[in-house]
Amino acid sequence: MAQKQGLKPKKILIFASGNGSNFEAIVKHFNSKVFCTQNKQKTGCKRLVEIELVTDNKNAPVIERAKKLDIPYYYVKFEDLYDFLKPKKDEYNLFVLAGYMRILPEKILKLGAWPGTHGQKQNKFINIHPSLLPKFKGKNAIRQAFEANEEKTGVTIHFVEKNVDSGKIIAQKSLPTGKKTLPVLEDAIHKIEHKLYPEIIENLLFKTSVLLFGGGAREHALAQKLSNSPFLDTLYLVNPNDGFKNLGETLELIPNGDSAKDYKDLAKKARALNISMLIVGPENPLFEGITDIFQNEGISVIGANKKWAALEGSKSFAKTFMQKNGIKTASYKILEEKDLTLAHNIKDTLQYFTSKYQALPVIKADGAALGKGVELPETFKKAKFSVNEFLKGKFGKASKKILLEERLFGKEISLVSFWDGKTLVSFPPASDYKRLLDNNKGKNTGGMGAIAPAKISAKEKKQLKEYENALKSALIKEKADFTGIIYSGLILTKNGIYVLEYNMRFGDPETQVLLELLETDLLYIFNKIAEKKLDEIDIKFSQKKASSLVLASKGYPDNPKKGVLIKNLDAAKKYGCKIYFAGVKNSENELVTNGGRVLNIVKSGNYKKKILEDIYKTASDIAFDGKIFRKDIGK
């Protein structure tokens, strides 16, 4: 951030009563952060952050540190603190507790509340605590953890509430206690504090403006999560549907037939608005190179570049990647459009699978087909017909080249992972329901529901970890230096875990349930991914369960009915569910259907049965003509 022009300086007030090592670490961190201005008269640089100190202990060593570092300080008795702060509260962007040995009363905390996103009140008081809250609140937290023989402890940064060491957690970082002595453990904890606290303060002071691309339920869930982040400045949305456009400021993208030009124009708009990060939801922009274009404009992107988007955009490319790196995947044969004139090629290829594997192959479009380019034929005749349909362009260019794959049997799971070019961190595995009808009948869809975490055995968990390690090693070996998401579609067979497909973005509807389990701030994670420092943070997931049900429109997936009024959406509140909108639009101040998958009903909690009961009660109450949904999610 140093040497950037046009940044407005910030001001913080640090509260400390004791030694002041965190105070000094914060000051030294910001001493090198400057911004420069230049005009005809003069050029000058100033610190990005002005720091002042307040203490209630006139003999505190932190005062000597302040003098040495040339930081203004105030000695204020605790009983006079409110009167001291009240006239000055608007001077400061953040109030930072760094070893201030007092519990702040509510009247003081109210001085630090200011309007945040969508009118919410946000807290300007933050604190750092040397344990993994909620464990070991209060004094001597490191000693408490040491004496309790904890396997790991760490540091928590949180907003301040009136109770001891309470308030929304902003970030945590853990470390194993191992066989450390108490002094060694204390030293290790303080080192984490001195690095983490200044970084979090910087991110809170200089918030990120984000552009989220996509208009479905997945993007609604992402937008909702991002809009609650304390690190967010402004959320911009590219073509959101009318069900969630209220969460940010809309940027319209009207395609003109030249996607590269469209994305270059969008990137220039983003720069003009000081947007520093693009998050890409759907796959097509990734295939078309939106990441490369935005990165060339100096904007960070959460999404694969064009080269690595091919792991999803070309199944043959993905197969080569897996085979080259020893990742288990089904055997396959490739057919292309030219084989339509060579009927024996198609017949011979099908017979190869029925002879070798005693089963018809799975037919897959080589390119992306919105989750619908897969068929599992039940007869030889149907298989021949489907191959011909695909090669003749059933899914356009995406199916002019196809893969015939060995049919694998087992439970399918989805593994969604963050990737920064060197570190891979995965969500708990999820299960989605791809077929339109109950008992996995009917046509393939983009997904009719999902649950997380997927139920897998201890043996399968071990295999899953081995797969993650293999994937990470392969990505590093192949120099996959993008920053984004990798979705592994996996099948648990009797011979171990096999990869069915890769997607290079968040899955839909898996995202809607996985974000329910994510406890670490999503934008904080994205910032670390963009910095290629994902290994520096702990990502926490709750132990709850989450489920999602898709309500679709009659005719989905081929020809869904549109323009139908959606009623009783308030039912979700009655049952404690969330609604994420997909195919909807506003018509005379009412939402009507505007696509195949209309909305998602989502809930999380401790009891799967109760969650699903409330989701299905909500689904029954919400009404629109032609509503369809599966009745067996979670079974």
Side-chain angles (χ1 to χ4, degrees):
M1 191 173 291
Q3 302 296 338
K4 279 194 176 182
Q5 294 190 15
L7 284 173
K8 187 177 180 181
K10 308 289 185 179
K11 190 173 182 180
I12 65 175
L13 182 63
I14 299 179
F15 295 64
S17 302
N19 183 48
S21 62
N22 271 319
F23 164 80
E24 183 167 330
I26 295 165
V27 173
K28 288 183 175 178
H29 175 85
F30 285 111
N31 274 347
S32 62
K33 309 284 182 177
V34 299
F35 76 104
C36 301
T37 56
Q38 184 174 354
N39 54 44
K40 292 181 180 180
Q41 286 74 37
K42 62 179 181 179
T43 299
C45 294
K46 294 182 178 179
R47 288 180 179 174
L48 272 172
V49 178
E50 298 173 3
I51 299 173
E52 294 179 355
L53 169 71
V54 63
T55 182
D56 63 336
N57 178 3
K58 64 173 61 177
N59 298 313
V62 69
I63 294 175
E64 293 305 313
R65 291 184 191 259
K67 291 177 180 177
K68 183 179 177 181
L69 295 165
D70 196 27
I71 298 298
Y73 70 92
Y74 308 94
Y75 163 64
V76 180
K77 294 180 180 179
F78 183 69
E79 55 266 31
D80 298 329
L81 185 60
Y82 177 80
D83 292 331
F84 167 79
L85 287 177
K86 187 175 180 180
K88 298 166 64 69
K89 65 182 179 67
D90 294 329
E91 291 182 23
Y92 303 103
N93 299 94
L94 202 61
F95 297 120
V96 178
L97 276 62
Y100 191 72
M101 299 299 159
R102 297 280 192 169
I103 304 302
L104 296 178
E106 197 164 5
K107 70 174 185 178
I108 289 180
L109 294 177
K110 284 182 177 179
L111 296 176
W114 86 105
T117 308
H118 308 301
Q120 299 172 359
K121 289 290 184 180
Q122 294 191 9
N123 192 342
K124 285 200 287 187
F125 284 93
I126 64 171
N127 183 43
I128 190 164
H129 183 73
S131 81
L132 297 177
L133 292 176
K135 283 191 172 183
F136 309 118
K137 296 181 178 182
K139 295 181 180 180
N140 303 315
I142 303 175
R143 178 180 289 277
Q144 289 181 61
F146 178 79
E147 292 177 349
N149 294 315
E150 291 288 302
E151 290 185 4
K152 67 177 183 179
T153 185
V155 170
T156 301
I157 298 171
H158 63 96
F159 289 108
V160 179
E161 293 181 355
K162 62 181 180 179
N163 297 320
V164 176
D165 294 322
S166 62
K168 181 181 176 182
I169 291 173
I170 303 168
Q172 290 185 312
K173 178 66 178 176
S174 65
L175 84 162
T177 53
K179 295 182 180 180
K180 297 179 179 69
T181 63
L182 181 58
V184 170
L185 182 61
E186 288 174 333
D187 184 60
I189 292 286
H190 295 323
K191 283 179 179 177
I192 293 175
E193 289 182 322
H194 297 165
K195 184 176 188 299
L196 186 63
Y197 210 14
E199 288 179 357
I200 292 297
I201 292 167
E202 184 172 336
N203 284 335
L204 289 171
L205 291 174
F206 301 96
K207 297 173 184 285
T208 305
S209 284
V210 171
L211 179 62
L212 175 61
F213 193 114
R218 164 185 52 212
E219 289 76 29
H220 186 176
L222 288 166
Q224 189 68 63
K225 200 79 169 178
L226 292 167
S227 68
N228 292 322
S229 172
F231 304 111
L232 179 70
D233 184 357
T234 305
L235 179 61
Y236 295 90
L237 306 169
V238 179
N239 296 355
N241 70 61
D242 290 337
F244 74 95
K245 66 189 304 181
N246 62 304
L247 293 177
E249 298 185 23
T250 297
L251 290 185
E252 294 291 345
L253 177 65
I254 302 173
N256 64 9
D258 183 348
S259 61
K261 185 178 185 304
D262 291 340
Y263 298 147
K264 285 176 183 176
D265 291 344
L266 186 63
K268 288 176 182 175
K269 286 181 184 177
R271 282 201 65 185
L273 291 166
N274 292 318
I275 292 169
S276 55
M277 179 179 290
L278 168 70
I279 300 165
V280 185
E283 62 271 33
N284 278 340
L286 300 176
F287 303 153
E288 293 165 348
I290 191 172
T291 296
D292 310 74
I293 290 168
F294 268 70
Q295 287 178 336
N296 287 339
E297 290 289 335
I299 297 171
S300 300
V301 183
I302 304 301
N305 55 25
K306 191 171 186 178
K307 175 183 175 180
W308 285 100
L311 273 179
E312 176 176 1
S314 169
K315 289 181 174 58
S316 55
F317 177 86
K319 287 286 190 182
T320 300
F321 168 81
M322 288 184 272
Q323 291 179 328
K324 185 178 177 182
N325 291 285
I327 294 173
K328 288 183 178 180
T329 185
S331 64
Y332 69 103
K333 298 283 186 181
I334 291 175
L335 291 174
E336 299 186 57
E337 187 178 13
K338 64 184 180 182
D339 290 303
L340 284 168
T341 61
L342 302 167
H344 65 278
N345 281 6
I346 296 173
K347 182 180 178 181
D348 290 349
T349 305
L350 289 170
Q351 286 178 337
Y352 164 82
F353 283 95
T354 56
S355 174
K356 184 170 183 178
Y357 301 108
Q358 288 75 53
L360 288 163
V362 179
I363 302 169
K364 293 184 177 182
D366 183 63
L370 299 176
K372 302 165 192 170
V374 178
E375 287 195 12
L376 288 81
E378 296 176 357
T379 66
F380 197 91
K381 182 179 179 180
K382 176 60 178 172
K384 283 177 64 178
F385 177 78
S386 294
V387 167
N388 277 272
E389 266 195 321
F390 272 54
L391 293 177
K392 286 176 181 177
K394 180 178 181 179
F395 297 103
K397 187 178 178 181
S399 65
K400 293 294 183 75
K401 178 180 179 181
I402 66 173
L403 276 70
L404 301 187
E405 266 191 8
E406 168 195 3
R407 194 174 294 204
L408 299 173
F409 298 91
K411 180 178 180 177
E412 294 185 26
I413 62 171
S414 306
L415 186 71
V416 178
S417 308
F418 298 111
W419 172 250
D420 72 348
K422 60 180 183 179
T423 302
L424 189 78
V425 180
S426 299
F427 283 87
S431 293
D432 75 328
Y433 294 73
K434 291 185 173 67
R435 294 299 190 103
L436 181 67
L437 305 175
D438 290 358
N439 301 314
N440 290 324
K441 303 293 184 182
K443 294 185 177 181
N444 230 32
T445 73
M448 295 297 291
I451 62 167
K455 188 175 181 180
I456 60 176
S457 68
K459 179 181 177 181
E460 289 165 341
K461 285 180 182 178
K462 182 181 178 183
Q463 292 174 340
L464 190 61
K465 192 62 185 176
E466 290 170 353
Y467 164 72
E468 286 184 73
N469 292 335
L471 175 59
K472 177 183 175 181
S473 297
L475 292 167
I476 291 172
K477 179 184 173 185
E478 299 294 334
K479 297 181 171 57
D481 60 351
F482 67 91
T483 51
I485 306 299
I486 303 173
Y487 168 117
S488 301
L490 307 174
I491 185 166
L492 310 177
T493 78
K494 63 181 181 180
N495 296 317
I497 291 179
Y498 281 68
V499 177
L500 296 174
E501 65 173 351
Y502 286 119
N503 292 336
M504 303 311 289
R505 31 89 192 183
F506 281 106
D508 186 347
E510 293 95 336
T511 300
Q512 291 85 301
V513 291
L514 292 174
L515 291 182
E516 284 288 303
L517 305 181
L518 180 64
E519 293 186 342
T520 305
D521 185 88
L522 182 62
L523 185 51
Y524 179 49
I525 296 170
F526 284 161
N527 281 332
K528 283 298 182 181
I529 291 174
E531 296 168 2
K532 296 183 180 291
K533 294 179 179 179
L534 189 57
D535 60 330
E536 292 186 359
I537 66 171
D538 292 344
I539 298 180
K540 291 186 64 179
F541 303 100
S542 81
Q543 298 301 306
K544 293 181 179 179
K545 300 169 179 62
S547 298
S548 170
L549 174 69
V550 172
L551 300 193
S553 189
K554 184 178 180 180
Y556 177 67
D558 298 323
N559 187 28
K561 190 174 183 179
K562 299 181 180 181
V564 178
L565 181 65
I566 306 169
K567 301 177 183 177
N568 301 332
L569 287 168
D570 286 343
K573 295 178 183 177
K574 181 167 63 173
Y575 300 111
C577 296
K578 296 177 182 176
I579 299 291
Y580 293 123
F581 292 106
V584 301
K585 71 175 182 179
N586 191 297
S587 176
E588 299 181 356
N589 294 320
E590 299 279 0
L591 286 179
V592 299
T593 62
N594 193 44
R597 292 188 292 179
V598 176
L599 57 84
N600 288 189
I601 305 169
V602 179
K603 188 173 183 180
S604 60
N606 294 317
Y607 302 103
K608 177 181 171 183
K609 183 178 179 181
K610 173 62 174 170
I611 293 165
L612 289 168
E613 282 177 357
D614 288 337
I615 285 175
Y616 277 110
K617 286 176 183 176
T618 305
S620 295
D621 284 3
I622 293 174
F624 58 88
D625 187 40
K627 175 183 70 177
I628 56 175
F629 58 91
R630 285 184 61 156
K631 314 297 191 301
D632 62 345
I633 302 301
K635 296 180 181 178

